[in-house]
Amino acid sequence: MKVLKFGGTSVGSIIAIQNVIKIIKNNLSNNELPIVICSAMSGVTNKLNLAATYATQQNENYLKILKEIETAHLTVIYQLISIKRQSDIIIQIKMLLNKLEDILHGVFLLQELSNKSQALILSFGEQISCHIITELLKQHKINARYIDARTLIKTDNNYTSAIVNFEATNRLVKKFIKNLNYIPIITGFIASTIDNETTTLGRGGSDYTASIIGAGIKAQLIEIWTDVDGVMTADPRQVKTATTIPYLTYKEAMELSHFGAKIIYSPTLYPLYKQKIPLVIKNTFNPTHQGTVVEDKSHLSDSVIKGISSINNVSILNIEGSNMVGIPGILGRVAKALANNKINVILVTQASSEHSICIVVTQENSHLAESTLNEVFNDEIRVGKIDKIKALSGFSCCSIVGNGMRSYSGMAGRFFATLGKHGININAIAQGSSELNISAVISTNMLNKALNVVHEAFFSHNVITLNLFFIGVGLIGSTLITQIKSNADYLEQEKRIKIRIIGLANSKKMLFAETGIDMIKWQQILKTSTKINLSTYVSTMKQLNLANSVFIDCTSSRDIVALYEKILSASIAISTPNKIANSVSYDEYKHLRNLANKHNTKFLYETNVGAGLPIINTLQNIKLSG
């Protein structure tokens, strides 16, 4: 038996819901009926949260939010369900919304929102969407029934992030599945206590619902239908060249989900891992794509690592002191204190000298972690054995994940060298003994660049993308652009170099396009662009912070040469025929060369004298040859 789970975006629009119905119909073969789990419509859970917040504040805007929720669902009913069948489903939805309004009104009067009330309020999104999907299937002459997951999944009374009672749940699920002769449309995300009080499984809990029920019936397969083609090698919003990972092991998927891959809700994986049930993540809007298969066995891959993930907004806490060496149990006291305050530790590193311990937590937990640890080590801090502990914010965690790393040497070196080469400083590192994950903590403003350069290093098949920023598009600059355009295919196929022009400027105008400027229409586009400002041009280059950035100065301007120091200090390479920087004092010339070396970048130059002959390069080659 197969379990199909459809996320919020899969039931969030007319087209998406039509696709869902087709997918379910395509799974009605061999007399085997699938089990279907549905989330609330996209955005509805957020609106329910907002309505509850407004009601707590005695803000009558909660009624406006309710009206928006009603309109969204009725629009689907009016467009997809035939007129003769509409009245019954509209009555059901209206009854649910009236009940929801009564609960919110109670919150409004009391000005109090308990976790118990919040869980009950949030449950209505799934209830309404599942009623609509059930009715639509019936309209297509499919024997479907609405099933409330609260009758199947039992939890503790931690209402908004409940822990499942698997013994009671499995008993109910096995009883439910006996002699099942219809397609159950089960509400995701929600459950109940033994006393039948509503609980929720946490954000992303609909995936968990599918996993719980799938494990309970020992399903053949679980499919998670969402709005992307599976798990990607990196976040496609940040890394445009990210691709789908065809296969992952459970452990790889767990690592990726822990380190920010939101496509997988991490608790989903544990019941499946235990029962060795494969999980497939597919795209409702592209159902023919194979998606990502998560299973027990490992598959050969072109890349040693499977994916790159990240956690934004983390904080570093350093526990250090000159007299720390020899004080027993410090790490144990740290772990116990943070656990008692329900603070999750993302990673921890300890110097072999025991002089310092580095703890990384989420930024929202940083102040609590700081006060907790200062209290725990108050005696040691007072006598100077340990320094006062401070939480440092503004960091992110970048991780590479892959089962194959254990079989290859030099993966950590390649990862860290890639970051260092592009001027990305590492503040903390961690690698587990399983060698499934290597993590680096870096400044948040460097995260986008880090993800792109690491992705290029491990997944680009040795094709390097150069991002060019031109100033000066006269005879020399425009000729160079023409050469780049005419040689683009050759450079990519033979030299494994892809060139994008990101910035252009002349004496009057400047233009930027992060995805690349059209090398055919660049002259027309530049004429209608922004007025030139050299400081803004340089600051925009730095702000874009793209990998393999190269500044090309095709001018003879002293003002632009004056900016070389800032450009090289930002780890942006310079290539120029401008003679001024190399014909000033030798100390200034050496300073620029030293800056390039210090920031691990290039300062390349040529001269346009000697009838255009490459004099400098020729002399350098003679010198290099001895």
Side-chain angles (χ1 to χ4, degrees), residues 244-365:
T244 304
I245 306 169
Y247 297 98
L248 285 170
T249 65
Y250 295 114
K251 289 182 179 179
E252 287 171 336
M254 287 173 192
E255 290 285 349
L256 284 169
S257 65
H258 175 67
F259 280 90
K262 294 181 175 60
I263 198 72
I264 304 175
Y265 180 56
S266 55
T268 303
L269 296 164
Y270 296 106
L272 304 182
Y273 174 61
K274 195 174 179 182
Q275 299 283 349
K276 307 301 181 208
I277 299 170
L279 170 72
V280 183
I281 298 164
K282 293 178 71 72
N283 190 346
T284 308
F285 304 92
N286 187 17
T288 58
H289 193 284
Q290 70 174 58
T292 298
V293 178
V294 183
E295 58 187 356
D296 194 40
K297 66 179 179 179
S298 183
H299 289 257
L300 290 173
S301 170
D302 290 340
S303 177
V304 175
I305 71 168
K306 289 292 182 69
I308 305 160
S309 59
S310 61
I311 303 176
N312 282 323
N313 303 319
V314 302
S315 294
I316 294 174
L317 293 99
N318 289 313
I319 304 145
E320 56 189 358
S322 56
N323 293 315
M324 253 177 68
V325 179
I327 301 175
I330 286 185
L331 190 54
R333 288 163 68 188
V334 169
K336 184 178 179 181
L338 295 177
N340 287 342
N341 284 276
K342 296 183 178 178
I343 299 168
N344 183 44
V345 176
I346 295 168
L347 62 82
V348 56
T349 62
Q350 180 176 356
S352 58
S353 64
E354 301 180 24
H355 174 74
S356 66
I357 297 170
C358 173
I359 302 289
V360 178
V361 299
T362 61
Q363 203 161 292
E364 64 179 335
N365 282 330

Side-chain angles (χ1 to χ4, degrees), residues 91-160:
I91 289 168
Q92 283 180 317
I93 302 309
K94 290 277 190 183
M95 286 173 63
L96 285 168
L97 289 169
N98 289 340
K99 186 177 177 182
L100 173 60
E101 186 176 349
D102 288 343
I103 296 165
L104 286 167
H105 184 61
V107 172
F108 180 88
L109 294 175
L110 292 170
Q111 291 180 259
E112 183 183 337
L113 181 66
S114 66
N115 285 344
K116 183 177 176 181
S117 297
Q118 187 177 27
L120 183 56
I121 289 165
L122 296 182
S123 73
F124 282 87
E126 274 69 18
Q127 291 182 64
I128 296 169
S129 72
C130 285
H131 274 296
I132 292 172
I133 297 297
T134 304
E135 189 59 34
L136 268 168
L137 288 169
K138 287 179 180 177
Q139 181 173 283
H140 284 80
K141 296 182 169 46
I142 295 170
N143 186 11
R145 290 187 203 173
Y146 169 87
I147 301 294
D148 194 320
R150 290 175 291 189
T151 62
L152 298 174
I153 300 176
K154 295 299 173 182
T155 69
D156 65 3
N157 61 358
N158 186 6
Y159 295 100
T160 54

Side-chain angles (χ1 to χ4, degrees), residues 223-234:
E223 291 180 354
I224 304 287
W225 290 85
T226 180
D227 57 357
V228 293
D229 292 334
V231 182
M232 309 292 279
T233 50

Side-chain angles (χ1 to χ4, degrees), residues 470-472 475-477 480 551-557 561 564 574-583 603-609 616:
F470 275 79
I471 282 193
L475 178 61
I476 296 172
L480 179 55
F551 176 72
I552 298 176
D553 174 15
C554 293
T555 73
S556 56
S557 167
V561 169
Y564 282 10
I574 293 176
S575 180
T576 179
N578 188 332
K579 297 182 292 293
I580 292 171
N582 298 314
S583 57
F603 175 37
L604 303 176
Y605 49 86
E606 193 40 86
T607 179
N608 52 9
V609 298
I616 301 292

Side-chain angles (χ1 to χ4, degrees), residues 152-156 163-171 194:
L152 298 174
I153 300 176
K154 295 299 173 182
T155 69
D156 65 3
I163 296 171
V164 176
N165 179 338
F166 279 98
E167 186 180 343
T169 298
N170 288 338
R171 190 167 56 248
I194 299 298

